[in-house]
Amino acid sequence: MNSRADKWIATGLVMVVTGFSACVAVADDEPVFSQQSTRITQLDNGLIIEGQDVESGDRFTSGFSLTAGINPTTMPALDLGAEFSYRDSDAVPVSGQRLVDTTSLGGSLIAGIRLQDGFGLYAKSGLANWDTDGATGSTGLEENGTARVEGFGARWHNNGVISQLEYEHFDDTTLSHLNRINATVRVPF
């Protein structure tokens, strides 16, 4: 078995085991995968829709993401959701001297589980369709394609402070500049 399959099996087992453990608790009304986002709306059925601007630290990439999440009433420790994202990158260095502009549209399904004391884990999996325009010297590179998106994260809500750690990976070298590890701490007031 390859390491990717091992990673997915291990993630699945952790979620199943923790999902049926006795230490499950219900936290706040936000899904466990909720980011530092602007809440757009909350529907009567509990569906929460959030939006967020996306900007990379290296200033190559900007865009937005929309997340919809729900906490099923029959399973209070489980959060389910979907994410749609648009990212536009300008003059990204690829393969040495080559600079390319990339645009990507992506969609992912997200599942999270809430554990005791405001701690939760989540995982996401999806696809991103991308297209490039060569800025300089981009001959020989693919111009478009589809990449797998996978990620996981953890969120801890304690005494009003919300800490979150997330890893996201795009399975294509053209989009490797979008791979990220993100850590945030929020203190709502």
Side-chain angles (χ1 to χ4, degrees):
M1 209 180 274
N2 64 27
S3 64
R4 183 175 304 276
D6 291 341
K7 181 171 46 171
W8 280 107
I9 290 171
T11 302
L13 286 174
V14 167
M15 290 187 78
V16 168
V17 169
T18 57
F20 294 112
S21 69
C23 65
V24 172
V26 178
D28 55 44
D29 69 335
E30 287 186 341
V32 72
F33 46 81
S34 179
Q35 300 291 322
Q36 284 185 335
S37 306
T38 301
R39 183 173 290 190
I40 296 172
T41 189
Q42 181 169 357
L43 304 178
D44 291 339
N45 65 0
L47 180 70
I48 296 173
I49 300 175
E50 297 177 327
Q52 169 180 327
D53 288 333
V54 174
E55 189 169 318
S56 64
D58 57 13
R59 304 281 188 217
F60 287 131
T61 305
S62 62
F64 67 89
S65 70
L66 291 172
T67 306
I70 192 164
N71 178 251
T73 56
T74 58
M75 299 169 65
L78 181 66
D79 290 325
L80 300 173
E83 178 183 62
F84 172 77
S85 63
Y86 167 82
R87 293 181 174 107
D88 185 39
S89 304
D90 295 323
V92 177
V94 177
S95 303
Q97 299 293 333
R98 298 180 179 150
L99 298 177
V100 296
D101 300 335
T102 63
T103 302
S104 68
L105 290 171
S108 298
L109 296 176
I110 310 170
I113 189 156
R114 300 174 190 217
L115 304 172
Q116 79 181 46
D117 298 329
F119 183 73
L121 299 171
Y122 61 94
K124 71 166 91 174
S125 182
L127 295 172
N129 190 14
W130 57 270
D131 189 32
T132 63
D133 292 322
T136 62
S138 63
T139 59
L141 292 176
E142 289 186 49
E143 293 183 9
N144 56 38
T146 302
R148 234 181 16 250
V149 180
E150 51 196 29
F152 57 89
R155 181 172 185 238
W156 185 42
H157 186 188
N158 187 23
N159 295 329
V161 177
I162 302 168
S163 304
Q164 191 158 1
L165 178 65
E166 181 175 290
Y167 169 75
E168 187 174 39
H169 175 75
F170 289 77
D171 194 23
D172 194 303
T173 56
T174 306
L175 298 180
S176 63
H177 63 280
L178 297 177
N179 294 342
R180 67 185 178 92
I181 296 176
N182 191 32
T184 58
V185 176
R186 286 189 284 168
V187 183
F189 54 91

